[in-house]
């Protein structure tokens, strides 16, 4: 019995040794590749800030922006912006387009009580519809009215209001070299409807114009090398126009050559006459001030004024 146990033990030892020997002779097998766990990526949950609007301000509170090809206006220095329901290209339609970075001078009004934009719809260059878009409640509601239809290539454009009801629009178009047509439209109901006045009959390029009341208005002509102011006046709401007499002192001949829009000052009318596009007298920016005591028929020289004084 003892021999049997010893024999069994020897067999087990020999088997164990053989197992170890054959295990060491077996080539190592590569373990399968294990993809590492993906790293967690942090996500920036900070909300995207809206693009800051760069406004063009007319005073401390009121301004506009053409950023992103949209016209927007503000009445609180940019805290709130109101989108104007108009296509940007319509504001620059016509023969003259401006630089499209700022609105065309005189083509709009932007005040607390009235905002208005003059624009053109143009199925073709020679068949434009001139319209005015306006609001009386800072953009809460908008109104749109037709000024004239079938207009050809608008160049000069100006809108103004003397009071809540009476306003004027002056436009020109159909330019050929230094000749063009100009037209005046008046409203007596705050801009809802517009009536054309009789034509002045002048075909020179218009430089400026406006009304001081419902009867007295002015048109200033001559933009290309003017030699003397050419100012026309109406005293009957545009039924008739005649050339005013502007008495230029001899020492200012060929210096003060282009009349701006007259305005009421105390008990008379006043107008600044500038040096035109090529003036060089005292830097070219000094203007002559003239006054009229007969409702704009005749004008006499008063004084020279600096640009700062003229812009007050």
């Amino acid at each position: 019995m003892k021999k049997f146990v010893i024999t069994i033990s020897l067999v087990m030892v020999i088997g164990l040794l053989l197992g170890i020997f054959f295990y060491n002779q077996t080539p190592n097998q590569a373990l399968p590749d294990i993809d590492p766990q993906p790293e967690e990526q942090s996500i920036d949950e900070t909300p995207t800030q809206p693009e800051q609007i760069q406004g063009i301000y007319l005073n401390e509170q009121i301004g506009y922006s053409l950023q992103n090809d949209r016209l927007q206006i503000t009445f609180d220095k940019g805290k709130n912006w109101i989108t104007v329901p108009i296509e940007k290209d319509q504001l620059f339609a016509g023969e003259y387009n401006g630089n499209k970075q700022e609105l065309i001078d005189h083509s709009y009004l932007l005040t607390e009580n009235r905002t208005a934009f003059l624009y053109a719809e143009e199925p073709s260059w020679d068949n434009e519809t001139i319209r005015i878009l306006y609001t009386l409640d800072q953009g809460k509601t908008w109104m749109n009215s037709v000024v004239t239809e079938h207009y050809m290539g608008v160049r000069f454009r100006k809108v103004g209001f003397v009071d809540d009801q009476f306003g004027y629009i002056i436009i020109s178009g159909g330019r050929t070299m230094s000749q063009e047509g100009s037209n005046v439209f008046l409203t007596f109901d705050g801009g809802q409807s517009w009536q054309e006045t009789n034509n002045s009959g002048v075909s020179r390029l218009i430089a400026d114009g406006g009304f001081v009341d419902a009867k007295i208005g002015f048109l200033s002509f001559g933009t290309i090398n003017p030699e003397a102011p050419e100012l026309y006046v109406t005293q009957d709401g545009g039924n008739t126009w005649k050339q005013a007499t502007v008495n230029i002192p001899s020492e200012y001949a060929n210096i003060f050559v282009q009349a701006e829009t007259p305005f009421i000052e105390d008990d008379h009318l006043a107008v600044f006459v500038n040096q035109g596009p090529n003036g060089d007298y005292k830097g070219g920016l000094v203007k002559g001030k003239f006054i009229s005591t007969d409702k704009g028929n005749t004008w006499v020289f008063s004084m020279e004024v600096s640009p700062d004084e003229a812009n007050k």
Side-chain angles (χ1 to χ4, degrees):
M1 183 67 180
K2 185 176 181 179
K3 289 181 180 181
F4 176 78
V5 172
I6 293 173
T7 301
I8 293 300
S9 298
L10 290 173
V11 171
M12 292 177 64
V13 170
I14 292 170
L16 180 61
L17 292 174
L18 289 173
I20 293 172
F21 174 80
F22 284 110
Y23 176 81
N24 289 332
Q25 296 300 314
T26 303
N28 293 331
Q29 295 182 355
L31 295 175
D33 293 333
I34 300 177
D35 292 332
Q37 292 295 322
E39 296 181 1
E40 293 185 1
Q41 297 181 354
S42 61
I43 299 175
D44 185 3
E45 297 182 353
T46 304
T48 302
Q49 296 296 322
E51 183 180 4
Q52 185 174 3
I53 296 176
Q54 303 298 323
I56 299 170
Y57 288 91
L58 308 184
N59 58 37
E60 292 184 356
Q61 297 294 322
I62 300 176
Y64 70 88
S65 169
L66 294 171
Q67 198 168 315
N68 299 323
D69 289 331
R70 290 190 303 170
L71 175 59
Q72 299 180 83
I73 55 177
T74 180
F75 296 92
D76 55 12
K77 204 174 183 178
K79 292 181 181 178
N80 296 284
W81 288 93
I82 302 159
T83 298
V84 180
I86 190 173
E87 295 181 13
K88 177 184 174 182
D89 288 344
Q90 292 179 321
L91 298 164
F92 301 97
E95 190 264 335
Y96 175 72
N97 311 119
N99 59 20
K100 296 189 178 182
Q101 302 301 310
E102 298 182 5
L103 293 173
I104 296 174
D105 287 345
H106 309 306
S107 69
Y108 66 98
L109 295 172
L110 189 50
T111 67
E112 289 185 359
N113 299 321
R114 181 184 296 272
T115 296
F117 300 96
L118 197 59
Y119 70 98
E121 292 179 337
E122 50 175 1
S124 62
W125 181 84
D126 59 351
N127 187 23
E128 297 172 336
T129 297
I130 309 300
R131 289 180 170 270
I132 185 169
L133 176 70
Y134 64 100
T135 176
L136 305 178
D137 55 13
Q138 298 189 357
K140 294 182 178 65
T141 57
W142 292 91
M143 291 159 282
N144 196 312
S145 58
V146 173
V147 180
T148 187
E149 296 178 303
H150 311 301
Y151 206 75
M152 180 181 292
V154 61
R155 183 189 67 83
F156 179 87
R157 63 207 78 181
K158 183 175 183 179
V159 56
F161 273 81
V162 175
D163 54 40
D164 290 342
Q165 297 300 309
F166 176 73
Y168 60 88
I169 287 174
I170 303 171
I171 56 176
S172 71
R175 184 171 74 96
T176 304
M177 300 300 287
S178 59
Q179 304 291 312
E180 67 179 359
S182 57
N183 306 86
V184 179
F185 301 86
L186 304 180
T187 181
F188 299 91
D189 55 14
Q192 297 180 50
S193 61
W194 296 86
Q195 306 169 16
E196 185 174 3
T197 71
N198 287 332
N199 197 275
S200 67
V202 181
S203 60
R204 293 189 68 190
L205 301 187
I206 192 168
D208 206 348
F211 280 71
V212 297
D213 59 32
K215 294 294 185 181
I216 301 175
F218 299 90
L219 298 174
S220 174
F221 296 93
T223 64
I224 301 175
N225 300 322
E227 297 181 354
E230 188 173 339
L231 184 65
Y232 279 70
V233 57
T234 180
Q235 296 174 338
D236 54 14
N239 288 326
T240 59
W241 296 87
K242 62 181 178 180
Q243 187 169 2
T245 300
V246 183
N247 295 298
I248 304 291
S250 58
E251 61 267 33
Y252 295 114
N254 295 313
I255 294 177
F256 297 137
V257 296
Q258 188 179 76
E260 300 177 3
T261 300
F263 55 93
I264 297 174
E265 181 184 70
D266 299 328
D267 60 349
H268 57 265
L269 297 177
V271 66
F272 295 121
V273 180
N274 63 51
Q275 300 182 43
N278 303 315
D280 58 5
Y281 174 72
K282 294 185 178 180
L285 299 179
V286 171
K287 301 178 181 181
K289 182 178 180 180
F290 294 74
I291 62 173
S292 172
T293 57
D294 59 3
K295 299 181 180 180
N297 284 324
T298 57
W299 299 84
V300 295
F301 179 76
S302 173
M303 67 179 75
E304 291 184 13
V305 294
S306 67
D308 291 338
E309 292 174 317
N311 292 329
K312 287 182 179 179

